[in-house]
Amino acid sequence: MAFTSNVTTFTLSGLNVTKGNKYFFFSLVLLAYLTMLFFNLCLAITILQVRTLHEPMYVFLCNLSINGVYGTSGFYPKFLLDIISDSGYTHDISYSGCLLQVFVIYSSVMCDFSTLTVMAYDRTVAICQPLKYHSIMTTQAVIHMLTFCWLYPLFCSVLMVALTSVLPLCGSQIDKLYCDNWSVVRLSCVPTTLHNVIGFIVILSFMAHALFIVYSYKKLITACIHSKEGKVKFMQTCVPHLVTLIHFAMSVLFDTMYSRYGSRGASSVRNFMSLELLIIPPLFNPIIYGLNLTELRRRILKPCKRHAVKNTENRRKN
């Protein structure tokens, strides 16, 4: 087979289940996207505006919400256009657009994991070393952690995309709803040993993140289980983080299963497996934290209560 290094567009062929129901799917996806944007922006704006919420835990949560908006912007606008278009089963994306989508989605997912890792560290210090908390979690320390949460994922994503961009390709068909790095790499006409090694190193680094989170929760559970106050703290601040971690792990598992076994099974199941990573974390993270953290819930609902009181007063006057 002759090498083809001049691929200018990729064909995404995962939208066949939407044929004949495109307006229903468009409405459903648009509603999900707007809901994600609303909850994440609402949470982020509330934390940024209220000075009493400028604590490390809330700052990291704000970062999680901002990252949710960033990550979804790399997929949903293009996906919505594909659904509503009349292209049939397949949809095209430019070569540069595909690599940009890979960069945004990968960096967002890795930023999510890094943020969850520093949040686990923050909760460990807060509960296991409460007297030293403010001396450890200083403003400078928080800035360094946030910098790490963004720079390391961006570096990994740039490295992977840069390596992928120089590969000669022998095809342009991607059997997925969006571009991912592995789907592009396996179209290569040449061996991809270096890409596999780099990918393995990146996976190992995030496995280290996971081990640190497990170690942190072991310490947290040990510290909280012996007192009623500790159990209350764990339920209020650690359970939302734990639920988020479980959602994230499930999302990564679904996406990994799709990447490895994407050619098997019903297309609707495969499409859900590929999208779960882009639906569950950004949609449920702000809801879980917003409902469970008392101070945050009170601040978010305060304008709604004020508006309800004004309406009640206006009705009484009339």
Side-chain angles (χ1 to χ4, degrees):
M1 180 183 291
F3 288 176
T4 305
S5 57
N6 60 340
V7 172
T8 57
T9 59
F10 291 98
T11 300
L12 304 174
S13 57
L15 274 173
N16 53 344
V17 295
T18 65
K19 188 177 182 181
N21 302 289
K22 66 178 183 179
Y23 293 109
F24 170 76
F25 278 100
F26 177 83
S27 302
L28 195 64
V29 174
L30 179 62
L31 179 62
Y33 181 47
L34 293 177
T35 303
M36 291 175 198
L37 289 179
F38 173 77
F39 281 119
N40 281 286
L41 289 174
C42 183
L43 208 65
I45 292 171
T46 300
I47 293 171
L48 290 172
Q49 286 186 337
V50 181
R51 293 187 62 84
T52 56
L53 296 179
H54 292 178
E55 295 290 330
M57 178 179 66
Y58 296 110
V59 171
F60 294 138
L61 177 55
C62 179
N63 187 65
L64 205 62
S65 296
I66 292 172
N67 182 56
V69 174
Y70 162 70
T72 54
S73 67
F75 168 73
Y76 282 94
K78 173 69 170 64
F79 186 50
L80 287 167
L81 288 174
D82 287 344
I83 292 175
I84 205 66
S85 70
D86 297 319
S87 301
Y89 287 144
T90 60
H91 298 270
D92 293 335
I93 184 171
S94 67
Y95 182 87
S96 57
C98 184
L99 293 185
L100 178 61
Q101 192 173 66
V102 170
F103 173 79
V104 172
I105 292 175
Y106 274 55
S107 59
S108 175
V109 170
M110 288 188 280
C111 183
D112 249 9
F113 204 16
S114 297
T115 304
L116 291 172
T117 303
V118 298
M119 288 175 76
Y121 175 73
D122 171 71
R123 291 300 85 206
T124 303
V125 175
I127 293 177
C128 299
Q129 298 177 282
L131 298 179
K132 296 182 179 180
Y133 179 75
H134 290 291
S135 62
I136 295 175
M137 298 300 294
T138 61
T139 301
Q140 187 176 12
V142 172
I143 291 174
H144 287 162
M145 291 178 189
L146 288 175
T147 302
F148 166 77
C149 288
W150 281 100
L151 287 188
Y152 183 66
L154 290 175
F155 169 76
C156 292
S157 300
V158 166
L159 180 60
M160 288 190 292
V161 170
L163 289 172
T164 302
S165 66
V166 298
L167 286 175
L169 304 178
C170 289
S172 60
Q173 183 85 12
I174 297 177
D175 186 24
K176 208 168 183 179
L177 294 168
Y178 59 91
C179 289
D180 71 283
N181 194 60
W182 173 243
S183 295
V184 178
V185 169
R186 65 183 179 183
L187 295 174
S188 173
C189 306
V190 298
T192 57
T193 305
L194 178 60
H195 298 75
N196 295 335
V197 171
I198 296 296
F200 183 69
I201 293 173
V202 171
I203 290 172
L204 281 180
S205 70
F206 282 94
M207 284 181 66
H209 286 45
L211 289 175
F212 178 81
I213 292 172
V214 171
Y215 171 74
S216 299
Y217 267 89
K218 180 180 178 295
K219 291 187 66 175
L220 284 170
I221 293 171
T222 302
C224 293
I225 198 171
H226 300 295
S227 68
K228 185 177 180 180
E229 183 182 355
K231 291 177 182 178
V232 171
K233 283 185 178 180
F234 186 84
M235 291 297 294
Q236 287 182 342
T237 63
C238 298
V239 168
H241 183 255
L242 189 59
V243 172
T244 301
L245 279 170
I246 293 172
H247 278 154
F248 187 82
M250 289 176 59
S251 302
V252 172
L253 178 62
F254 272 120
D255 191 65
T256 302
M257 287 175 63
Y258 179 88
S259 297
R260 291 184 176 273
Y261 309 109
S263 59
R264 306 173 188 178
S267 58
S268 57
V269 175
R270 291 189 285 113
N271 285 335
F272 173 77
M273 289 169 66
S274 69
L275 282 179
E276 212 268 349
L277 184 63
L278 299 170
I279 295 175
I280 298 298
L283 183 59
F284 281 92
N285 286 354
I287 297 175
I288 291 169
Y289 283 100
L291 292 177
N292 196 76
L293 297 178
T294 305
E295 178 66 15
L296 188 55
R297 182 175 67 247
R298 186 175 66 84
R299 291 289 182 176
I300 291 174
L301 295 178
K302 189 175 181 180
C304 299
K305 291 180 179 179
R306 188 182 304 161
H307 183 68
V309 170
K310 286 183 179 180
N311 286 339
T312 303
E313 291 177 352
N314 291 333
R315 288 175 185 174
R316 287 177 180 175
K317 290 179 181 179
N318 295 333

